[in-house]
Amino acid sequence: MEDRYDHRAAERKWQQQWDESAPFRWTGDRTKRKFYVLEMFPYTSGHLHIGHARNYSMGDTLARLRRAQGYDVLYPMGWDAFGLPAENAAIVRGLHPREFTATARASMKAAMNRLGLSYDWSLEIDTSSAEYIQAQQRLFIRFFERGLVYRDANYVNWCPQCATVLANEQVIAGRCWRCETQVVKRHVPQWFFNIRAYADELLDGLDKLPDWPESVKNIQRSWIGRSHGTEIRFSDESGGTLAVFTTRPDTLFGCTFLALAPEHPWLNDRDLAPDVRTFRDEILLKSTEERALEEKRGVFTGHYAINPINGERVPIWVANYVVMDYGTGAIMAVPAHDERDFEFARAYGLAVREVVRDPSAPGDTLDHAYEGTGTLVNSGPFTGTASQVAADDISAALERQGQGKRTIQYRLQNWSISRQRYWGNPIPIVYCSECGAQPVPQQELPLLLPDAIDFKGTGSPLSRSAAYMTTTCPKCGGPAQRDPDTMDTFVDSSWYFLRFPTPHAVEPFDRETVDRMLPVDAYIGGIEHATLHLMYSRFIIKALRDLGLLGFDEPFVRLYNQGMVNDSTGRKQSKSLGNVVEPFEVIEAYGADSLRVYLLFTTAYNLGLNWSDTGPKDAQSYLNRVWRLAHRWESALRRNGAAVLDPSRCASGAAAELRTLVHHTIRKVTTDVERFQFNTSIAALMQLSNALYAFPADGDPAVAAGAIRVLLRLLAPFAPHFTEEVWEQTGGQGLVVEQPWPLVDEDALVGAVKEIAVQVNGRFMATLEVGQDANEPEIVEAARNHATVGQRLAGKNVRKTIYVPDRLINFVVA
Ligand code: ANZ
Ligand code: ZN
């Protein structure tokens, strides 16, 4: 064996070999248990950054473990290729987006290969390919036929810089998620996915995802924003009606005015005084966020409505704090009990009438709104009733009169998917003046983008291509126009994980295969996708299930949000700060395996990692230590080619101790990788390496060799090139990846210790070392006697003790 490990030569050699022999092919072997590992596929930006490297190292390590354990592993990669990066590059550099995408894809793929990632590249997909376009258009048409996608003219979020519509999820603090330009409202015809039809299931389904981070589930919960209340119909003087949504029907007698959002359609049907029109037009230009930052402003429309509970006449105002996309876009204002209404009423001298008495401050002079509950006052027949009871009684009374109904409101809006951009999947719909919107016939799919396009001007670039736009109606054969828009790229990413098993099929996916391979067992990606991608994907799966196209409810059973890789001082990496670490340079200097080990060893996967320039070097030193170990025992290794340790040679002394540690390490690495605790698995491997260094020089060489082989096998998912090279240079049998995963021999652990995590009320308190054969009562006893735990439990009543064998013990105290 050579004296030193040459990472450049070894990595080149093994990558080439993997390329040729394709050992990572998904077999689809139905006799095995399936396992689907997936990282959120990247935009084809052209740059693979160090955060990607960390993310993909995690998925790869898990995929390698699962394969070795005998699972049928699906671990694919693809490209979220449509979208603005390519289109903007095209505009700025005069490149066609297709050329930009092809180059970007090639360089990112090369970088992935240099990291040694074990994707099955035969399953690669590209959302901008004709195959994918075709498949998605088929899906779109199925949704269209079932009314799950519909067209409507609506006020939408508009980014003046990107000249496109944005979904609510793409507006961050009032700004475009991409270019940070202030978003405004525009009235445009749009296609919408009816995601609201699934609001309840999307919300309630979160409770059935125990292996999702609580933070993501909470973001989704508040994004869906389910609210129980009453819709109350006020009539206006011209015989029309105005419905308001309130969560406090008990305050109806305190309503002193109505307020409408500037977008409210009621305003379209009236003659408005000039000052009303001016105010309205001014506010319409502002984003919701901008409006919220302003002081509360409004204007009286000159019209009145009738309060259905007492016949009172109340003025109708337009106000900047009422938003169109919640409830009905109109509110009954109750200044005495709503802080916003109070502020508004004070500013314009509108009446404030107390109807709920604050039990803690009777006789209050109303210098603020009281938003709590209490006993009703000034409320006709309901006076003296408790507010919760009154809420029910008033709603019931309104329902009897046909002037109200109890409803549920959601913050979640339907998903607008029309984008006035070129580089996206064309919407396969044709407009005929006779027949209306008609889907493009199946045999004409895919509807592809025209190659030649004019990016100058506003609106959709496709609308300027006469050759593209002009067509005939599939129904009557008359002249017709195409839809000038393309689909939001989040449509592409909302179902791509169904496509991998059959990347070239005509049908979007194969039901039998996806029913077997999905849900994804481990999905890895950033928390920034909590509301966009992760909500859309859940919706699409539920909709496809209801269309009878697949048979499961959720796309991803386990979700892992990896932490960010920051610079050494904890700042976010950015071009402008000049602190970006290039994976290529690190790989060149220290090797891909050193980078992988460093990225996984340094901290827990979900924590931020502050880059350290010496980190990859330290990881390299560790690998070199393992190399020297193999060098020292080379001749023994040559006689012992497999990862097995013969128990009959380990009866006592150093050999017995080493055998115990080996099996302890197998267990630790196996369970820790399964739980995404890569850092502690690597720590265990280091510990085993140290023990091997301490193994006596005159000890049994067969024992040392067997232990080193196990070490190499366990290290292989983290450092795949390195371990193959050691294996080969020491005459190992076959390839490391072909070796089965070592099994724990429980006999070896008798007398050894195992680690149990101790929690109190679910909070980690201590790690307990107990004998391998300790039973539950002994462990409970030991945990109670642990200093920290004992202190925490002192004088407390333990209501429940939860024991998860070999893992943890949790005391629930009052
Ligand atoms: C009268 C009232 C009286 C209200 C009171 C509150 C307190 P959540 O909990 O978020 O569902 N509201 C309804 N639609 C609105 C819109 N489009 N724009 C701005 N505000 C709107 O909030 C529901 C409450 O928010 C509703 O109940 C309504 O004000 C307001 F003492 O109605 B309430
Ligand atoms: Zn027609």
Side-chain angles (χ1 to χ4, degrees), residues 15-26:
Q15 285 164 16
Q16 195 180 342
Q17 154 124 19
W18 293 333
D19 216 31
E20 283 158 14
S21 63
F24 310 121
R25 277 276 164 88
W26 170 54

Side-chain angles (χ1 to χ4, degrees), residues 22-41:
F24 310 121
R25 277 276 164 88
W26 170 54
T27 60
D29 182 344
R30 280 155 196 275
T31 62
K32 295 178 169 178
R33 276 189 296 169
K34 69 94 181 179
F35 201 84
Y36 191 170
V37 189
L38 190 65
E39 297 118 11
M40 292 180 183
F41 72 161

Side-chain angles (χ1 to χ4, degrees), residues 283-397:
I283 304 296
L284 281 182
L285 287 175
K286 298 186 175 173
S287 67
T288 313
E289 188 73 16
E290 233 181 321
R291 296 180 200 182
L293 292 173
E294 289 184 335
E295 57 176 340
K296 300 205 169 26
R297 291 194 297 139
V299 37
F300 175 44
T301 62
H303 296 267
Y304 289 86
I306 305 298
N307 187 334
I309 202 79
N310 58 8
E312 199 176 336
R313 224 165 146 245
V314 289
I316 304 173
W317 286 64
V318 185
N320 64 348
Y321 70 98
V322 183
V323 298
M324 193 59 222
D325 46 19
Y326 188 69
T328 62
I331 63 163
M332 62 177 225
V334 183
H337 303 291
D338 183 294
E339 204 48 67
R340 295 164 304 174
D341 300 342
F342 184 84
E343 207 184 310
F344 192 86
R346 277 290 131 96
Y348 293 99
L350 293 158
V352 180
R353 184 190 307 147
E354 183 195 29
V355 289
V356 178
R357 184 58 50 85
D358 178 354
S360 66
D364 197 330
T365 49
L366 286 180
D367 55 1
H368 68 282
Y370 169 63
E371 297 191 333
T373 54
T375 305
L376 261 60
V377 295
N378 301 323
S379 297
F382 301 94
T383 299
T385 318
S387 45
Q388 285 103 323
V389 176
D392 269 339
D393 292 351
I394 291 176
S395 300

